Amino acid sequence: MKRSPDHDQIVGILLAAGRGKRFDPSGAQNKLLQTTRQGDKVVVAAASKLLAALPQVTAVVRNADDAVAHELAELGCQLAICPDADQGMGVSLVCALTQRRHAAGWVIALADMPHVQATTIAALAEALKQGADMVAPFYQGQRGNPVAFSSKHIAELLLLGGDQGARTLLKAHPLTQIEVDDPGIHHDIDTSADLKAAV
């Protein structure tokens, strides 16, 4: 039987299909295309950290022709198109996992978290390789994102829906905790003030 090209690999998944209504209720400004204090677009910064730590990254986008999709494709992300993304983060996640279901595991990151360090992502992937089933980073005792799952959880992950994302699984199973010196795991971009915040 021919093996999938991502078999035995830890694959990055970037959830980038949300509308970001809290950032701009009118929808005129996409928060993922705004510029951080460091001078990168939010989505580019988030994707670049994943790409620096993992050999393959699949990014979930709403539309193959929008500006977010173009930025991600140019960086080297594989795209998963999810027109039903408004139904919630769980739907976006399933869309990506369906494409990458044969991987050994996944690090699931959020496109509005540009300050997560590549070393944190690499540490999560390494924990999966060492046998962990479910891994999350902790900074000063508080859990953050991204989170990582081994292939053991694929059946449960594919059943996700709505806006819960993988939170229900995190509560239902033993979690491997990794302490990181990375305040970026707690910092997402919800408002324009968040773009200017020091992390």
Side-chain angles (χ1 to χ4, degrees):
M1 190 173 95
K2 188 176 177 187
R3 302 216 310 175
S4 162
D6 58 13
H7 196 90
D8 295 334
Q9 287 196 345
I10 308 300
V11 172
I13 291 178
L14 185 69
L15 301 178
R19 288 194 187 274
K21 288 180 180 170
R22 270 189 292 176
F23 186 86
D24 181 0
S26 75
Q29 284 189 308
N30 187 328
K31 69 178 179 180
L32 298 183
L33 298 172
Q34 305 309 305
T35 303
T36 67
R37 278 177 59 161
Q38 291 73 28
D40 295 316
K41 289 176 182 169
V42 171
V43 71
V44 169
S48 296
K49 308 293 179 41
L50 271 178
L51 288 160
L54 298 168
Q56 296 187 52
V57 173
T58 290
V60 187
V61 295
R62 178 184 307 281
N63 184 326
D65 294 323
D66 69 15
V68 169
H70 284 298
E71 292 281 1
L72 291 167
E74 201 166 286
L75 285 171
C77 296
Q78 177 181 322
L79 299 183
I81 313 304
C82 186
D84 298 326
D86 282 346
Q87 293 177 27
M89 197 179 292
V91 174
S92 288
L93 181 53
V94 169
C95 179
L97 287 169
T98 301
Q99 283 191 15
R100 310 311 294 267
R101 66 189 306 155
H102 299 296
W106 309 269
V107 177
I108 300 163
L110 306 177
D112 66 351
M113 296 188 70
H115 303 297
V116 174
Q117 296 170 15
T119 50
T120 294
I121 296 162
L124 295 174
E126 185 57 31
L128 290 182
K129 291 175 186 172
Q130 296 300 323
D133 288 326
M134 195 177 294
V135 195
F138 281 67
Y139 175 69
Q140 296 184 346
Q142 297 287 316
R143 194 184 86 213
N145 283 299
V147 292
F149 296 90
S150 77
S151 58
K152 172 184 172 181
H153 294 291
I154 185 61
E156 287 176 282
L157 287 164
L158 288 173
L159 290 174
L160 292 174
D163 206 33
Q164 278 302 299
R167 251 175 287 172
T168 49
L169 268 73
L170 291 169
K171 291 175 182 169
H173 297 284
L175 181 68
T176 298
Q177 301 184 12
I178 293 185
E179 281 292 333
V180 294
D181 185 17
D182 183 0
I185 70 168
H186 295 151
H187 187 80
D188 60 350
I189 305 296
D190 276 334
T191 68
S192 55
D194 292 333
L195 289 168
K196 301 177 181 69
V199 178

